[in-house]
Amino acid sequence: MIKKFIDKLFGKTDTAAAGSARAGKKSPYGKRLEIGPQEHGIDTSLVDERAMDVVRTLKDAGYEAFIVGGAVRDLLVGLRPKDFDVATDATPEQVKS
């Protein structure tokens, strides 16, 4: 719904042409590197179970989902975060369903 609104607002771009223009270029951000629990040392008991349920539910539904933001910073230094943000590739409509 939001994507359709934004497409209408700004006019839909030709994604096929844009994709072919980017095909030969490398991402300036590099590859995503996943670091396991042995390396990052995050105490999973500090992660709120409800946040883990959200991530687990989205992943079980076939989407990517990650705890992000200040919660990650707090967990890395051994603090219990007061709130959790989750990033996902699911649209708001997909999350709601």
Side-chain angles (χ1 to χ4, degrees):
M1 187 169 120
I2 293 172
K3 183 180 181 323
K4 288 180 185 177
F5 172 74
I6 292 172
D7 285 346
K8 279 185 181 180
L9 188 64
F10 293 109
K12 192 165 181 119
T13 60
D14 184 10
T15 55
S20 64
R22 283 186 256 128
K25 293 185 180 179
K26 281 180 101 174
S27 169
Y29 306 109
K31 290 184 176 182
R32 179 177 71 194
L33 177 64
E34 292 192 28
I35 299 173
Q38 303 81 9
E39 296 175 70
H40 60 61
I42 289 176
D43 180 1
T44 56
S45 70
L46 297 175
V47 180
D48 188 273
E49 191 56 39
R50 292 168 295 183
M52 289 299 295
D53 286 343
V54 169
V55 171
R56 204 174 294 115
T57 301
L58 287 164
K59 287 188 173 211
D60 289 346
Y63 302 105
E64 287 191 276
F66 304 93
I67 293 176
V68 298
V72 176
R73 177 203 57 226
D74 292 348
L75 290 166
L76 286 169
V77 296
L79 299 174
R80 182 178 301 279
K82 60 183 174 186
D83 65 350
F84 290 83
D85 298 312
V86 175
T88 181
D89 62 347
T91 65
E93 291 82 10
Q94 292 167 325
V95 170
K96 187 176 179 180
S97 68

